[in-house]
PDB file of all heavy atoms in Angstrom:
ATOM      1  N   THR A 862      21.668   4.897  -5.192  1.00  0.00           N
ATOM      2  CA  THR A 862      21.143   3.966  -4.194  1.00  0.00           C
ATOM      3  C   THR A 862      21.776   2.598  -4.409  1.00  0.00           C
ATOM      4  O   THR A 862      22.000   2.187  -5.550  1.00  0.00           O
ATOM      5  CB  THR A 862      19.617   3.856  -4.329  1.00  0.00           C
ATOM      6  OG1 THR A 862      19.035   5.151  -4.193  1.00  0.00           O
ATOM      7  CG2 THR A 862      19.033   2.922  -3.272  1.00  0.00           C
ATOM      8  N   TYR A 864      21.264  -1.535  -3.538  1.00  0.00           N
ATOM      9  CA  TYR A 864      20.274  -2.533  -3.170  1.00  0.00           C
ATOM     10  C   TYR A 864      20.937  -3.894  -3.011  1.00  0.00           C
ATOM     11  O   TYR A 864      21.921  -4.213  -3.689  1.00  0.00           O
ATOM     12  CB  TYR A 864      19.194  -2.677  -4.250  1.00  0.00           C
ATOM     13  CG  TYR A 864      18.419  -1.423  -4.547  1.00  0.00           C
ATOM     14  CD1 TYR A 864      18.853  -0.537  -5.525  1.00  0.00           C
ATOM     15  CD2 TYR A 864      17.256  -1.126  -3.860  1.00  0.00           C
ATOM     16  CE1 TYR A 864      18.147   0.624  -5.807  1.00  0.00           C
ATOM     17  CE2 TYR A 864      16.539   0.022  -4.132  1.00  0.00           C
ATOM     18  CZ  TYR A 864      16.996   0.894  -5.108  1.00  0.00           C
ATOM     19  OH  TYR A 864      16.289   2.046  -5.380  1.00  0.00           O
ATOM     20  N   HIS A 866      19.785  -7.960  -3.311  1.00  0.00           N
ATOM     21  CA  HIS A 866      18.717  -8.775  -3.853  1.00  0.00           C
ATOM     22  C   HIS A 866      19.064 -10.249  -3.724  1.00  0.00           C
ATOM     23  O   HIS A 866      20.118 -10.694  -4.203  1.00  0.00           O
ATOM     24  CB  HIS A 866      18.473  -8.437  -5.323  1.00  0.00           C
ATOM     25  CG  HIS A 866      17.206  -9.020  -5.867  1.00  0.00           C
ATOM     26  ND1 HIS A 866      16.981  -9.218  -7.214  1.00  0.00           N
ATOM     27  CD2 HIS A 866      16.084  -9.452  -5.241  1.00  0.00           C
ATOM     28  CE1 HIS A 866      15.789  -9.735  -7.382  1.00  0.00           C
ATOM     29  NE2 HIS A 866      15.219  -9.882  -6.201  1.00  0.00           N
ATOM     30  N   ALA A 871      12.074  -9.781  -2.476  1.00  0.00           N
ATOM     31  CA  ALA A 871      12.048  -8.401  -2.941  1.00  0.00           C
ATOM     32  C   ALA A 871      13.411  -7.764  -2.727  1.00  0.00           C
ATOM     33  O   ALA A 871      14.068  -8.012  -1.712  1.00  0.00           O
ATOM     34  CB  ALA A 871      10.985  -7.617  -2.167  1.00  0.00           C
ATOM     35  N   PRO A 872      13.864  -6.956  -3.686  1.00  0.00           N
ATOM     36  CA  PRO A 872      15.107  -6.200  -3.445  1.00  0.00           C
ATOM     37  C   PRO A 872      14.959  -5.335  -2.203  1.00  0.00           C
ATOM     38  O   PRO A 872      13.870  -4.889  -1.859  1.00  0.00           O
ATOM     39  CB  PRO A 872      15.250  -5.353  -4.713  1.00  0.00           C
ATOM     40  CG  PRO A 872      14.509  -6.122  -5.765  1.00  0.00           C
ATOM     41  CD  PRO A 872      13.345  -6.732  -5.040  1.00  0.00           C
ATOM     42  N   ARG A 883      20.114   3.199   5.317  1.00  0.00           N
ATOM     43  CA  ARG A 883      18.693   3.155   5.610  1.00  0.00           C
ATOM     44  C   ARG A 883      18.467   2.587   7.001  1.00  0.00           C
ATOM     45  O   ARG A 883      19.236   1.761   7.492  1.00  0.00           O
ATOM     46  CB  ARG A 883      17.957   2.295   4.586  1.00  0.00           C
ATOM     47  CG  ARG A 883      17.819   2.960   3.233  1.00  0.00           C
ATOM     48  CD  ARG A 883      16.576   2.484   2.524  1.00  0.00           C
ATOM     49  NE  ARG A 883      15.364   2.910   3.236  1.00  0.00           N
ATOM     50  CZ  ARG A 883      14.269   2.185   3.334  1.00  0.00           C
ATOM     51  NH1 ARG A 883      14.198   0.990   2.779  1.00  0.00           N
ATOM     52  NH2 ARG A 883      13.207   2.643   3.978  1.00  0.00           N
ATOM     53  N   TYR A 915      23.119  -4.255  -6.384  1.00  0.00           N
ATOM     54  CA  TYR A 915      22.897  -3.363  -7.516  1.00  0.00           C
ATOM     55  C   TYR A 915      23.020  -1.908  -7.073  1.00  0.00           C
ATOM     56  O   TYR A 915      22.585  -1.545  -5.980  1.00  0.00           O
ATOM     57  CB  TYR A 915      21.484  -3.538  -8.086  1.00  0.00           C
ATOM     58  CG  TYR A 915      21.209  -4.875  -8.708  1.00  0.00           C
ATOM     59  CD1 TYR A 915      20.667  -5.906  -7.959  1.00  0.00           C
ATOM     60  CD2 TYR A 915      21.461  -5.103 -10.061  1.00  0.00           C
ATOM     61  CE1 TYR A 915      20.392  -7.145  -8.530  1.00  0.00           C
ATOM     62  CE2 TYR A 915      21.182  -6.335 -10.646  1.00  0.00           C
ATOM     63  CZ  TYR A 915      20.659  -7.347  -9.870  1.00  0.00           C
ATOM     64  OH  TYR A 915      20.393  -8.567 -10.439  1.00  0.00           O
ATOM     65  N   SER A 919      19.342   7.996  -9.687  1.00  0.00           N
ATOM     66  CA  SER A 919      18.027   8.632  -9.738  1.00  0.00           C
ATOM     67  C   SER A 919      18.214  10.142  -9.950  1.00  0.00           C
ATOM     68  O   SER A 919      17.610  10.977  -9.266  1.00  0.00           O
ATOM     69  CB  SER A 919      17.232   8.354  -8.460  1.00  0.00           C
ATOM     70  OG  SER A 919      17.992   8.696  -7.308  1.00  0.00           O
ATOM     71  N   TYR A 925      15.625   5.766 -14.495  1.00  0.00           N
ATOM     72  CA  TYR A 925      16.545   5.602 -13.379  1.00  0.00           C
ATOM     73  C   TYR A 925      17.248   4.251 -13.500  1.00  0.00           C
ATOM     74  O   TYR A 925      16.863   3.277 -12.883  1.00  0.00           O
ATOM     75  CB  TYR A 925      15.788   5.707 -12.061  1.00  0.00           C
ATOM     76  CG  TYR A 925      15.237   7.079 -11.766  1.00  0.00           C
ATOM     77  CD1 TYR A 925      14.113   7.240 -10.959  1.00  0.00           C
ATOM     78  CD2 TYR A 925      15.845   8.229 -12.247  1.00  0.00           C
ATOM     79  CE1 TYR A 925      13.602   8.500 -10.656  1.00  0.00           C
ATOM     80  CE2 TYR A 925      15.342   9.488 -11.957  1.00  0.00           C
ATOM     81  CZ  TYR A 925      14.231   9.623 -11.163  1.00  0.00           C
ATOM     82  OH  TYR A 925      13.734  10.866 -10.863  1.00  0.00           O
TER      83      TYR A 925
ATOM     84  N   GLN B 881      12.688  -7.861 -13.676  1.00  0.00           N
ATOM     85  CA  GLN B 881      13.889  -8.687 -13.761  1.00  0.00           C
ATOM     86  C   GLN B 881      13.585  -9.868 -14.663  1.00  0.00           C
ATOM     87  O   GLN B 881      12.795 -10.745 -14.295  1.00  0.00           O
ATOM     88  CB  GLN B 881      14.352  -9.171 -12.395  1.00  0.00           C
ATOM     89  CG  GLN B 881      15.657  -9.956 -12.454  1.00  0.00           C
ATOM     90  CD  GLN B 881      16.170 -10.389 -11.106  1.00  0.00           C
ATOM     91  OE1 GLN B 881      15.401 -10.741 -10.218  1.00  0.00           O
ATOM     92  NE2 GLN B 881      17.489 -10.363 -10.941  1.00  0.00           N
ATOM     93  N   GLY B 886      19.613  -8.839 -14.718  1.00  0.00           N
ATOM     94  CA  GLY B 886      19.576  -7.911 -13.607  1.00  0.00           C
ATOM     95  C   GLY B 886      18.276  -7.122 -13.547  1.00  0.00           C
ATOM     96  O   GLY B 886      17.348  -7.346 -14.328  1.00  0.00           O
ATOM     97  N   TRP B 889      14.743  -0.782 -14.513  1.00  0.00           N
ATOM     98  CA  TRP B 889      13.718   0.203 -14.210  1.00  0.00           C
ATOM     99  C   TRP B 889      12.780   0.300 -15.409  1.00  0.00           C
ATOM    100  O   TRP B 889      13.244   0.392 -16.560  1.00  0.00           O
ATOM    101  CB  TRP B 889      14.391   1.548 -13.929  1.00  0.00           C
ATOM    102  CG  TRP B 889      13.468   2.633 -13.507  1.00  0.00           C
ATOM    103  CD1 TRP B 889      13.112   2.971 -12.240  1.00  0.00           C
ATOM    104  CD2 TRP B 889      12.782   3.538 -14.375  1.00  0.00           C
ATOM    105  NE1 TRP B 889      12.248   4.042 -12.259  1.00  0.00           N
ATOM    106  CE2 TRP B 889      12.020   4.402 -13.555  1.00  0.00           C
ATOM    107  CE3 TRP B 889      12.724   3.713 -15.755  1.00  0.00           C
ATOM    108  CZ2 TRP B 889      11.228   5.405 -14.076  1.00  0.00           C
ATOM    109  CZ3 TRP B 889      11.943   4.707 -16.279  1.00  0.00           C
ATOM    110  CH2 TRP B 889      11.194   5.547 -15.438  1.00  0.00           C
ATOM    111  N   TYR B 937       8.137  -5.915 -10.380  1.00  0.00           N
ATOM    112  CA  TYR B 937       8.034  -5.436  -9.002  1.00  0.00           C
ATOM    113  C   TYR B 937       7.412  -4.046  -8.988  1.00  0.00           C
ATOM    114  O   TYR B 937       7.770  -3.179  -9.795  1.00  0.00           O
ATOM    115  CB  TYR B 937       9.418  -5.325  -8.364  1.00  0.00           C
ATOM    116  CG  TYR B 937      10.164  -6.622  -8.193  1.00  0.00           C
ATOM    117  CD1 TYR B 937      11.123  -7.029  -9.113  1.00  0.00           C
ATOM    118  CD2 TYR B 937       9.931  -7.443  -7.081  1.00  0.00           C
ATOM    119  CE1 TYR B 937      11.834  -8.207  -8.942  1.00  0.00           C
ATOM    120  CE2 TYR B 937      10.629  -8.622  -6.903  1.00  0.00           C
ATOM    121  CZ  TYR B 937      11.585  -8.996  -7.838  1.00  0.00           C
ATOM    122  OH  TYR B 937      12.277 -10.163  -7.662  1.00  0.00           O
ATOM    123  N   ALA B 944      14.548  10.556  -2.019  1.00  0.00           N
ATOM    124  CA  ALA B 944      15.741  10.597  -2.865  1.00  0.00           C
ATOM    125  C   ALA B 944      15.521   9.828  -4.172  1.00  0.00           C
ATOM    126  O   ALA B 944      16.479   9.499  -4.863  1.00  0.00           O
ATOM    127  CB  ALA B 944      16.939  10.002  -2.121  1.00  0.00           C
ATOM    128  N   ASP B 946      14.823   6.935  -4.436  1.00  0.00           N
ATOM    129  CA  ASP B 946      15.221   5.541  -4.267  1.00  0.00           C
ATOM    130  C   ASP B 946      13.961   4.728  -4.053  1.00  0.00           C
ATOM    131  O   ASP B 946      12.982   5.209  -3.497  1.00  0.00           O
ATOM    132  CB  ASP B 946      16.157   5.405  -3.061  1.00  0.00           C
ATOM    133  CG  ASP B 946      15.536   5.970  -1.780  1.00  0.00           C
ATOM    134  OD1 ASP B 946      14.857   7.018  -1.854  1.00  0.00           O
ATOM    135  OD2 ASP B 946      15.710   5.357  -0.712  1.00  0.00           O
ATOM    136  N   SER B 947      13.988   3.475  -4.497  1.00  0.00           N
ATOM    137  CA  SER B 947      12.843   2.586  -4.287  1.00  0.00           C
ATOM    138  C   SER B 947      12.977   1.978  -2.902  1.00  0.00           C
ATOM    139  O   SER B 947      13.743   1.039  -2.709  1.00  0.00           O
ATOM    140  CB  SER B 947      12.806   1.519  -5.373  1.00  0.00           C
ATOM    141  OG  SER B 947      12.599   2.117  -6.639  1.00  0.00           O
ATOM    142  N   ASP B 948      12.240   2.553  -1.958  1.00  0.00           N
ATOM    143  CA  ASP B 948      12.493   2.166  -0.570  1.00  0.00           C
ATOM    144  C   ASP B 948      11.642   0.995  -0.079  1.00  0.00           C
ATOM    145  O   ASP B 948      12.017   0.341   0.892  1.00  0.00           O
ATOM    146  CB  ASP B 948      12.386   3.376   0.372  1.00  0.00           C
ATOM    147  CG  ASP B 948      11.043   4.079   0.322  1.00  0.00           C
ATOM    148  OD1 ASP B 948      10.163   3.642  -0.453  1.00  0.00           O
ATOM    149  OD2 ASP B 948      10.878   5.080   1.052  1.00  0.00           O
ATOM    150  N   GLY B 951       7.404  -4.782  -3.552  1.00  0.00           N
ATOM    151  CA  GLY B 951       6.597  -5.973  -3.388  1.00  0.00           C
ATOM    152  C   GLY B 951       7.419  -7.213  -3.692  1.00  0.00           C
ATOM    153  O   GLY B 951       8.607  -7.130  -4.010  1.00  0.00           O
TER     154      GLY B 951
END
Side-chain angles (χ1 to χ4, degrees):
Chain A
T862 303
Y864 300 90
H866 192 201
R883 287 209 66 216
Y915 294 92
S919 52
Y925 292 153
Chain B
Q881 184 177 37
W889 184 91
Y937 296 98
D946 55 321
S947 296
D948 58 0

